[in-house]
Amino acid sequence: VHMDEETDIYLEVATIPEKWLRKDEDGDEATSCCGDGWTSDDQEDNCEPAVTEVLIFDTHTHPHLDVNSIPKMKRFKTIRRCLLMSSQQSEWKTIEQLHRTYEVVEMAFGIHPWFAHEYDPQPDASWFKSLRSILVAHPRSIIGEVGIDKHARTKSTGKVEFDKQMRIFEMQFQLAIELQRSMSVHCVQCHGILFDFLKKQKEFPPKVILHSFSGSPELVISFLKIPTFGKRIYFGISHCINIMGGSQKPLACMKVSTIFEVN
């Protein structure tokens, strides 16, 4: 997201084996990071010095949603940076405060499609003005987590309010272009709709990262072949969403993406 010569690997970190972690100064196990907080599950693995020199940029995480996990962030030694994703406006100040407190924290501000129904899709809406202001105040911040989701149903109605999701997403997409900010995009059961939307655009943000991409290898090729903008699209793969069930699709997508970019 912000390329850094001192960072070796850019990942969506869902679970990191203990062998990837450095020991604390007192010899205790360090803490690992996941999308739902900070854990240390793989106690049987020992720290391997050759591996622990790898510095990782976690490009998508939400540890701020668990207040008990926040103090553990300062103990984590392997993560060079972690990009905290917001889901709704109420999280923005928390992420801003964590950025001031912990040097590893980078910030992403936006409205997640699960909460889009709660926001007014008008350019003069107060939330949108606040989003613009906080992004301008933090030039390194990106827009995220945003997107569209045909699986998400509003609890009060039991319906998928997709039209409103799309309007909120389009507003944030245009803001990303205006401010030249990268975006982390959530997309579930509507990759074709997202592809058609991106293909029609005449302008594009610097980067669009498709978080925990669940599409097919054929879709990867289609996205990467979008005229002019295809090389600005990146694909995130996370353990808890893409890999934990044993699916081979993420590996197939990675192979297709690598081959296409090399050619």
Side-chain angles (χ1 to χ4, degrees):
V1 178
H2 292 290
M3 303 305 288
D4 185 337
E5 290 181 358
E6 297 183 33
T7 302
D8 298 306
I9 299 177
Y10 289 74
L11 294 175
E12 287 189 17
V13 180
T15 301
I16 300 180
E18 289 294 317
K19 65 184 179 182
W20 284 28
L21 304 180
R22 292 186 180 137
K23 301 279 188 177
D24 285 340
E25 292 180 359
D26 58 5
D28 293 335
E29 296 292 340
T31 316
S32 65
C33 170
C34 70
D36 295 323
W38 297 71
T39 64
S40 53
D41 299 327
D42 302 318
Q43 298 294 336
E44 71 280 5
D45 289 322
N46 294 319
C47 202
E48 297 179 5
V51 178
T52 57
E53 295 308 314
V54 175
L55 296 175
I56 297 171
F57 191 137
D58 181 354
T59 62
H60 193 108
T61 188
H62 302 266
H64 59 285
L65 297 180
D66 178 5
V67 294
N68 295 321
S69 72
I70 291 173
K72 300 177 184 178
M73 294 174 66
K74 63 183 179 182
R75 298 179 58 215
F76 196 69
K77 306 292 181 63
T78 305
I79 292 291
R80 177 165 182 78
R81 290 284 187 272
C82 60
L83 185 55
L84 267 58
M85 291 286 154
S86 61
S87 301
Q88 47 191 324
Q89 186 176 1
S90 60
E91 300 171 25
W92 297 349
K93 290 297 182 183
T94 300
I95 290 176
E96 198 174 28
Q97 179 61 47
L98 288 171
H99 171 72
R100 288 194 288 265
T101 305
Y102 301 107
E103 63 178 358
V104 300
V105 170
E106 300 288 352
M107 300 173 290
F109 303 107
I111 303 300
H112 192 287
W114 292 358
F115 303 98
H117 63 280
E118 301 176 3
Y119 294 85
D120 181 8
Q122 301 297 326
D124 60 349
S126 61
W127 72 268
F128 193 61
K129 292 178 180 178
S130 296
L131 178 58
R132 180 193 301 275
S133 295
I134 201 166
L135 288 165
V136 169
H138 300 286
R140 284 177 59 88
S141 63
I142 75 164
I143 295 179
E145 177 180 356
V146 304
I148 48 179
D149 188 331
K150 279 206 166 183
H151 184 70
R153 297 181 181 276
T154 303
K155 289 184 178 180
S156 59
T157 65
K159 297 180 179 179
V160 178
E161 299 189 41
F162 189 75
D163 288 345
K164 197 166 188 181
Q165 285 184 27
M166 196 72 202
R167 291 167 68 189
I168 296 294
F169 172 64
E170 288 174 354
M171 290 173 65
Q172 294 177 104
F173 187 88
Q174 293 303 319
L175 185 60
I177 294 172
E178 176 190 337
L179 300 180
Q180 283 297 286
R181 302 300 175 88
S182 299
M183 301 182 75
S184 181
V185 176
H186 168 112
C187 183
V188 175
Q189 296 183 3
C190 47
H191 290 100
I193 294 172
L194 179 62
F195 172 76
D196 289 341
F197 170 81
L198 296 177
K199 191 169 61 172
K200 293 176 183 176
Q201 302 308 307
K202 295 182 178 179
E203 295 181 273
F204 220 72
K207 297 180 182 72
V208 172
I209 304 100
L210 303 185
H211 152 60
S212 292
F213 181 72
S214 58
S216 67
E218 291 76 19
L219 266 173
V220 171
I221 294 175
S222 296
F223 277 113
L224 292 174
K225 285 185 175 179
I226 293 177
T228 307
F229 304 125
K231 291 186 177 180
R232 299 190 192 182
I233 299 175
Y234 294 76
F235 303 88
I237 294 174
S238 62
H239 179 274
C240 59
I241 295 176
N242 301 108
I243 298 174
M244 193 157 48
S247 172
Q248 296 299 308
K249 187 189 293 184
L251 181 59
C253 288
M254 290 171 69
K255 288 180 178 179
V256 168
S257 176
T258 301
I259 292 170
F260 183 87
E261 288 180 351
V262 168
N263 291 339

